[in-house]
Amino acid sequence: MEDRRGWRGWRAATEAALYGPDGFYLRPEGPAGHFRTSVHASPLFASAVARLLERVAEELGTDEVTLVDMGAGRGELVTGVLDAAPAGLRVRAYAVERAPRPAGQDPRVVWTGRPPAGVRGLLFANEWLDNVPVDVAEADESGTARYVEVAPDGTERLGAPVTGADARWLARWWPLREPGERGEIGRPRDEAWARAVGTLSAGLAVAVDYAHLAGARPPFGTLTGFRAGREVPPVPDGTCDITAHVALDACARSGAAAAGAGTGTGGPVPGPGGVGGGAAGGGTGAGCSPADGPAGAELVAQREALRRLGVSGQRPPLSLASRDAAGYLRALAAAGEAAELTARGGLGDFTWLLQRVPTGGYCPA
């Protein structure tokens, strides 16, 4: 809700700034004009996703599979995966994006504003959930969690107390214990992820984002802005990206219910290492199992997920240079790109949520 001076909650302000008329994500240059994702860093990322798609098809026992690219931007990932997919794999590809279809987009890609329902295959959401708008809460001097309101110039003030479903989400996933502590209320992301997972009849849903887990939430939140490759204060005027890290453990719980795995009886995850790939340590990734998280779900650091998919930053042996100088240079360049994708303190710190959807998991809305 907005008053006459323009004050409103961060969720409404972000929605308008990113997706309203002349919103940031509808600008002609697209996200790639402002920041670098794993997709833009190297074609090795799309090749890794293509290998994951192939493994999902093997798990499903088919050579015909669907790829759904959530938050597709300008279609860079989905077209890269199609180009890297093995010749014998028949792929039906969807790009889910609120921006219009770009001119010259690959005709193999179906461009749509919402994911198709009842498909079998891989739903992949690379840096999508962090741009699902959320409200921000802050504990006041008495410790009461209140919504943070923002003006069009980015000035903030505390608003009404957080109540209802938002209050329950904070209590469960991000309790604010001390005055001044802040948190992003991730309930809309949980719901968005559950809806996305619920469109699969069988296969794997993957969300990739900067993330944090219960017990290690940042005390003052993560809301920030990006413009032209630089981090800037978040101002909801459409000139910058507005983003916040994702409580992927909360998303995993909601996704498990949507996948029919919420009872703790789900099977192994057909993850990057094949069926039942183990959990990884390091970064923000942490293993999920029926004992410590929702069944059929796993949280793993990007560096480990990509390692399982054959992406390695290991330099080629020098002996290759004497036998095949051009091959050595190609391998060296690939190793450098892989190192960027898996680097600590960089892209390697992203977390992958891998959520299995067993056969029969689709539940029409």
Side-chain angles (χ1 to χ4, degrees), residues 30-41:
H34 292 272
F35 48 83
R36 181 179 174 87
T37 71
S38 296
V39 178
H40 307 118

Side-chain angles (χ1 to χ4, degrees), residues 1-353:
M1 184 174 182
E2 182 178 1
D3 69 15
R4 61 187 180 184
R5 290 166 296 178
W7 293 100
R8 52 185 166 178
W10 267 109
R11 182 181 180 187
T14 301
E15 175 69 27
L18 297 185
Y19 306 111
D22 301 319
F24 178 82
Y25 273 100
L26 305 184
R27 294 162 67 110
E29 69 271 21
H34 292 272
F35 48 83
R36 181 179 174 87
T37 71
S38 296
V39 178
H40 307 118
S42 171
L44 293 175
F45 189 81
S47 295
V49 176
R51 285 191 288 275
L52 180 58
L53 179 66
E54 184 180 14
R55 292 178 186 180
V56 170
E58 291 172 356
E59 163 70 11
L60 294 174
T62 181
D63 62 358
E64 185 172 357
V65 69
T66 297
L67 170 66
V68 180
D69 181 9
M70 294 295 299
R74 298 302 181 264
E76 299 95 335
L77 176 61
V78 66
T79 54
V81 173
L82 287 173
D83 290 341
L89 188 65
R90 293 178 292 168
V91 181
R92 178 71 166 168
Y94 294 85
V96 182
E97 177 56 55
R98 296 174 70 168
R101 183 187 185 101
Q105 178 57 240
D106 192 318
R108 296 173 294 176
V109 177
V110 177
W111 200 268
T112 177
R114 62 181 59 189
V119 300
R120 292 163 54 88
L122 174 64
L123 181 143
F124 202 91
N126 185 59
E127 296 195 53
W128 170 57
L129 287 172
D130 68 296
N131 285 123
V132 173
V134 292
D135 274 312
V136 178
E138 181 176 325
D140 66 14
E141 292 182 356
S142 70
T144 299
R146 294 181 175 273
Y147 291 107
V148 176
E149 297 179 341
V150 62
D153 65 358
T155 304
E156 293 182 336
R157 72 178 186 185
L158 294 186
V162 179
T163 59
D166 285 347
R168 291 190 291 274
W169 190 93
L170 279 178
R172 169 66 179 85
W173 294 106
W174 199 335
L176 305 179
R177 297 185 172 88
E178 300 292 336
E181 288 189 346
R182 290 167 60 117
E184 293 93 36
I185 303 172
R187 183 174 61 84
R189 294 169 172 179
D190 296 357
E191 294 170 351
W193 182 243
R195 287 192 298 269
V197 171
T199 63
L200 288 176
S201 65
L204 182 69
V206 180
V208 182
D209 250 305
Y210 276 124
H212 42 64
L213 306 180
R217 308 281 188 218
F220 304 112
T222 63
L223 187 74
T224 192
F226 282 92
R227 182 192 302 117
R230 298 189 177 208
E231 187 170 7
V232 297
V235 178
D237 61 2
T239 65
C240 69
D241 184 25
I242 298 174
T243 181
H245 296 191
V246 183
L248 275 181
D249 47 351
C251 293
R253 182 67 65 179
S254 295
T263 60
T265 58
V269 180
V275 177
T284 56
C288 265
S289 68
D292 62 8
E298 183 184 11
L299 291 164
V300 60
Q302 172 156 299
R303 68 182 63 87
E304 172 60 16
L306 291 180
R307 184 194 64 78
R308 296 180 193 173
L309 290 165
V311 177
S312 170
Q314 184 174 357
R315 294 168 64 93
L318 284 174
S319 57
L320 177 62
S322 59
R323 303 192 312 271
D324 180 0
Y328 175 79
L329 291 176
R330 287 193 299 269
L332 191 62
E337 293 175 4
E340 181 180 0
L341 290 172
T342 58
R344 294 186 182 275
L347 295 174
D349 286 347
F350 275 79
T351 299
W352 287 37
L353 164 59

